[in-house]
Amino acid sequence: MCGITGFFQQHVSDPEMAANIKLMSARLTHRGPDDSGHWVDDTAGLALGHRRLSILDLSPAGHQPMTSSDGRLVIAFNGEIYNHLDLRRQLGSDGVNPKWRGHSDTETLLACFCAWGVERTLQACVGMFAFALWDRGAKSLTLARDRMGEKPLYWGWQGNVLLFGSELKALKAHPACSAQIDRNSLALLLRHGYIPSPYSIYEGIGKLRPGHMLSIPLASGKPVAMPDSQAYWRLNDVVAAGLAHPFSRSDSDAIDALEAQLSQSINAQMLADVPVGAFLSGGIDSSTIVSLMQAQSSRPIKTFTVGFAEGENDESIHAKAVARHLGTDHTELHVSARDALDVIPKLAAMYCEPLSADSQIPTFLLSQIARKHVAVALSGDGGDELFGGYNRYLNARKVWGQMQRLPLSARRAAAKILRLLPPPAWDRLFEAIKPALPSRLHIAIPGTKAQKLADVLELSSEDAYFSRLTSHWQDPASILIGGNEPPTILTSPEMWPKTDSFEHWMMAMDAQTFLPEEVLVKVDRAAMACSLEARTPMLDHRVVELAWGMPLSMKIRNGQGKWLLRQVLYRHVPKKLIERPKAGFGIPIDAWLRGPLREWAESLLDEKRLTSEGYFHAPPVRTMWLEHLSGRYNWQYQLWPILVFQAWLIDNR
């Protein structure tokens, strides 16, 4: 795992280019503390920088930027190619093996590019990656990103200078970067809690989409009419193929197929020249990964869990039980609210653009403890989107179908009734009557759910319902000064997947939005802040393709999600250790904003400050803040993106 960066700028001296690329790559030291490298060609105007976290081939033969054996190509590469030894064997079969200098996957990539070209190589690769490849002969720069978006890559023109890199802080270090806030992207942050591709928080800088490559001709030495990025792999194509040719054999065969593919993917991702471990929450996804890791290891796998000393959602006891059953070498860290609160001031520096995901705090704490023991950790991310794990997949069709039985006028009346009581009052009411309710009605946070139900009762379509469920602010323009939401996949029906059900449609949409833009960003930045490589076996594209070939009935069955994944897990872990209501990995931001975070939030939401900075209309923000403090409403999900941006703004001026 590494950090990459670079720029294209003509008519600049070699010393100046070298100074700038060193400054840019220094901002990525956390991504690669083991080595640094720079490559400059002042005649071409191209500079590449690299920070290395040594995982494969710890010798100098793995140093980057790396030049191909024929001297034509130069690469700065971030990530891992898990099948690179297979690719070497294929090169040998083709009779095009170079004289190998080491055993790094970067050297393998260069040899494949020389022999097969970029697109064929990308099609052949199994891995997570982002890279910048300079063709010295064609004077062309190619940027590419892995299929599911595990590794980040930003790029854009700033005047006559092309900048690119793993994180915005590297681009910002170049003198040409204006770092002007894009208010339209800020609107997207308010809507989603993240900024989706191809946008970023800065004007003129974007993110390369997952599964895409972009070749930029630079022979003219000037900004060119940019070609569109090209998809070498599309999830929508995978969805269509899977639904057109569904898995038609027995349940037992399906379980065998998934276990075999996951085991193969995990085996490849356990390959490293440094210690490897795994995150373990005790839930379905991480327990499955750890079970299959331990089944392939002769020694106890190192596993890591963070538990909260306070609070009702501490799942560390469940993780400990799974670890004990599997015989892993388990490390458990119990943190207090104070420990979590102490992370919040670090988030602005950790995340190069604002991200509103409260689970980034425990993810950082988990990465921090894991890094003390290992350099690589496998995670279970992706299981929800592939196998139907989120509650909205289980409830959306049922709730939507029930709502449609009522006329719109009746639903509007019901929404008014639900809003008569604030969320805390609903919570108290349900707690009082809980003993008289059947267990199926023992719901968590009933007040928040009543508020959400009131919000969706007036909607008229399934996609509008999904948008409402996944939005923080329904109308960001109402509080944002001078910004409007640009189009995204969520607002562009021509980009939507064609599916056989509402549940599958939501899963495919989440896999292209929420998963790469929030979940994977959260994990990448939190882990990299600790110089830890996080790997996600569920997102091996072969697992993804297999999952989309499975019918919905193998994902959601008898009102329960992740049916197929559960069956694999139950072969290794007793059902009684796993079966319990799904819990999140978040923290009680709503209560903390009224308590220990109140002073911090008040300073960021000060009316004079909001007015002078000029991004938000102060009166409605202040009204919402005071309503939240009163306890009458829980405005956590609306306030947190604003607070995250305000804190980020201070650190990134």
Side-chain angles (χ1 to χ4, degrees):
M1 191 62 62
C2 308
I4 64 172
T5 191
F7 64 89
F8 173 78
Q9 182 180 17
Q10 288 210 319
H11 311 302
V12 180
S13 67
D14 186 274
E16 184 178 348
M17 292 185 71
N20 283 335
I21 195 63
K22 289 178 181 178
L23 184 63
M24 294 171 73
S25 59
R27 299 291 179 90
L28 301 175
T29 300
H30 56 287
R31 298 188 71 93
D34 298 330
D35 188 23
S36 65
H38 313 95
W39 183 90
V40 174
D41 183 346
D42 61 338
T43 59
L46 198 286
L48 296 174
H50 188 266
R51 292 294 317 194
R52 184 183 183 195
L53 175 61
S54 299
I55 301 296
L56 285 174
D57 194 348
L58 311 186
S59 74
H63 179 79
Q64 292 191 53
M66 187 180 291
T67 303
S68 61
S69 58
D70 63 4
R72 180 170 63 90
L73 303 178
V74 187
I75 193 172
F77 171 73
N78 168 30
E80 302 291 345
I81 305 300
Y82 302 122
N83 67 330
H84 88 97
L85 295 178
D86 293 333
L87 297 178
R88 288 195 176 202
R89 284 188 283 271
Q90 183 61 51
L91 289 170
S93 298
D94 293 350
V96 289
N97 259 343
K99 183 177 181 181
W100 298 111
R101 293 164 286 180
H103 65 273
S104 74
D105 52 354
T106 309
E107 187 179 3
T108 304
L109 265 185
L110 280 172
C112 290
F113 291 148
C114 290
W116 303 334
V118 174
E119 186 165 1
R120 179 184 166 188
T121 298
L122 289 173
Q123 297 283 357
C125 284
V126 177
M128 57 176 186
F129 53 83
F131 63 76
L133 179 72
W134 176 241
D135 187 324
R136 302 173 77 175
K139 294 192 182 309
S140 175
L141 178 72
T142 298
L143 306 176
R145 194 174 175 204
D146 65 69
R147 294 170 176 87
M148 294 298 290
E150 294 182 64
K151 294 296 104 189
L153 186 55
Y154 295 87
W155 73 279
W157 287 96
Q158 299 284 278
N160 290 328
V161 181
L162 176 66
L163 305 174
F164 51 91
S166 299
E167 297 186 24
L168 286 173
K169 57 184 64 143
L171 280 65
K172 189 180 174 185
H174 192 283
C177 186
S178 64
Q180 293 296 309
I181 302 297
D182 187 330
R183 292 173 185 258
N184 294 339
S185 293
L186 182 52
L188 293 174
L189 175 70
L190 295 176
R191 165 76 68 181
H192 305 293
Y194 57 81
I195 299 172
S197 303
Y199 309 104
S200 87
I201 192 63
Y202 291 139
E203 292 181 357
I205 303 294
K207 293 191 278 280
L208 189 64
R209 296 181 189 272
H212 278 64
M213 56 181 285
L214 175 66
S215 293
I216 308 171
L218 295 172
S220 69
K222 300 176 181 178
V224 295
M226 293 303 298
D228 292 333
S229 62
Q230 300 296 313
Y232 65 88
W233 187 90
R234 294 179 178 87
L235 183 65
N236 283 354
D237 294 340
V238 172
V239 172
L243 297 179
H245 305 284
F247 190 91
S248 58
R249 301 195 298 276
S250 68
D251 286 353
S252 179
D253 288 339
I255 299 166
D256 289 343
L258 179 58
E259 181 168 14
Q261 183 57 70
L262 270 176
S263 296
Q264 181 183 356
S265 301
I266 288 168
N267 178 266
Q269 296 197 22
M270 291 171 67
L271 177 66
D273 294 331
V274 293
V276 178
F279 299 147
L280 179 61
S281 70
I284 303 295
D285 304 335
S286 65
S287 296
T288 302
I289 297 300
V290 170
S291 296
L292 298 179
M293 288 178 72
Q294 191 58 69
Q296 300 181 57
S297 177
S298 59
R299 294 182 296 178
I301 293 295
K302 294 182 181 294
T303 54
F304 307 94
T305 298
V306 165
F308 286 95
E310 311 150 21
E312 300 178 357
N313 288 334
D314 181 9
E315 290 199 302
S316 62
I317 186 173
H318 306 299
K320 187 175 183 179
V322 172
R324 185 184 300 116
H325 174 80
L326 293 173
T328 71
D329 179 3
H330 192 57
T331 299
E332 186 178 283
L333 174 68
H334 283 275
V335 299
S336 66
R338 183 71 262 166
D339 295 324
L341 289 166
D342 288 343
V343 175
I344 290 177
K346 304 175 183 177
L347 294 178
M350 196 182 307
Y351 289 81
C352 63
E353 61 182 345
L355 178 72
S356 175
D358 55 4
S359 57
Q360 61 199 135
I361 297 169
T363 301
F364 170 74
L365 293 169
L366 180 61
S367 299
Q368 196 172 49
I369 187 64
R371 188 60 179 95
K372 294 179 181 179
H373 304 270
V374 299
V376 175
L378 274 60
S379 83
D381 292 304
D384 287 304
E385 293 83 358
L386 292 179
F387 297 100
Y390 291 133
N391 287 332
R392 57 177 168 265
Y393 307 151
L394 310 181
N395 302 327
R397 178 172 292 280
K398 179 180 178 181
V399 173
W400 181 249
Q402 290 173 341
M403 287 197 309
Q404 290 300 291
R405 296 174 186 173
L406 296 174
L408 185 58
S409 59
R411 285 189 274 128
R412 285 176 173 168
K416 289 181 180 179
I417 293 172
L418 288 170
R419 293 190 180 106
L420 288 176
L421 293 179
W426 279 112
D427 291 342
R428 290 191 294 270
L429 176 61
F430 266 76
E431 189 62 31
I433 64 175
K434 189 175 182 179
L437 295 174
S439 59
R440 62 186 175 83
L441 294 180
H442 290 184
I443 59 177
I445 53 173
T448 299
K449 290 181 178 178
Q451 193 175 56
K452 288 184 176 181
L453 179 57
D455 288 340
V456 304
L457 280 171
E458 300 176 349
L459 302 177
S460 59
S461 65
E462 289 181 337
D463 55 275
Y465 178 44
F466 177 75
S467 178
R468 181 64 65 112
L469 288 176
T470 56
S471 295
H472 296 293
W473 280 88
Q474 303 303 323
D475 183 16
S478 66
I479 64 154
L480 184 62
I481 299 173
N484 293 287
E485 296 176 77
T488 67
I489 182 175
L490 290 165
T491 60
S492 304
E494 70 278 4
M495 299 177 68
W496 292 352
K498 304 295 189 295
T499 62
D500 60 346
S501 65
F502 187 30
E503 293 90 340
H504 263 156
W505 184 84
M506 289 188 288
M507 291 164 61
M509 292 294 283
D510 276 337
Q512 297 178 80
T513 55
F514 178 70
L515 176 63
E517 311 294 4
E518 179 174 303
V519 176
L520 297 181
V521 169
K522 171 194 68 180
V523 174
D524 176 80
R525 304 303 191 279
M528 284 284 89
C530 305
S531 300
L532 175 75
E533 176 173 300
R535 297 178 175 179
T536 50
M538 297 275 192
L539 299 184
D540 181 317
H541 72 277
R542 299 166 300 180
V543 176
V544 174
E545 290 166 359
L546 177 65
W548 276 105
M550 297 295 173
L552 186 63
S553 62
M554 288 187 176
K555 299 164 189 171
I556 300 175
R557 185 175 294 189
N558 298 324
Q560 189 177 57
K562 294 193 276 198
W563 179 86
L564 186 58
L565 203 57
R566 290 172 189 269
Q567 308 318 304
V568 173
L569 177 58
Y570 295 155
R571 291 179 170 182
H572 302 271
V573 176
K575 195 173 184 178
K576 64 182 181 181
L577 295 184
I578 300 298
E579 291 296 343
R580 59 185 180 277
K582 182 179 179 63
F585 196 25
I587 55 176
I589 292 292
D590 58 334
W592 286 0
L593 288 175
R594 299 185 188 100
L597 287 180
R598 180 170 179 167
E599 183 177 346
W600 171 80
E602 180 63 52
S603 69
L604 295 173
L605 300 179
D606 176 78
E607 186 164 5
K608 291 182 179 178
R609 180 180 200 156
L610 291 170
T611 301
S612 65
E613 289 174 342
Y615 291 102
F616 304 107
H617 295 292
V621 174
R622 291 295 304 175
T623 297
M624 184 171 282
W625 171 234
L626 294 175
E627 287 179 347
H628 185 86
L629 289 178
S630 73
R632 179 170 175 78
Y633 293 100
N634 176 13
W635 293 121
Q636 165 192 342
Y637 296 103
Q638 288 77 17
L639 290 169
W640 194 244
I642 299 174
L643 289 165
V644 165
F645 174 76
Q646 291 289 97
W648 177 89
L649 192 62
I650 294 171
D651 199 73
N652 288 273
R653 282 183 171 140

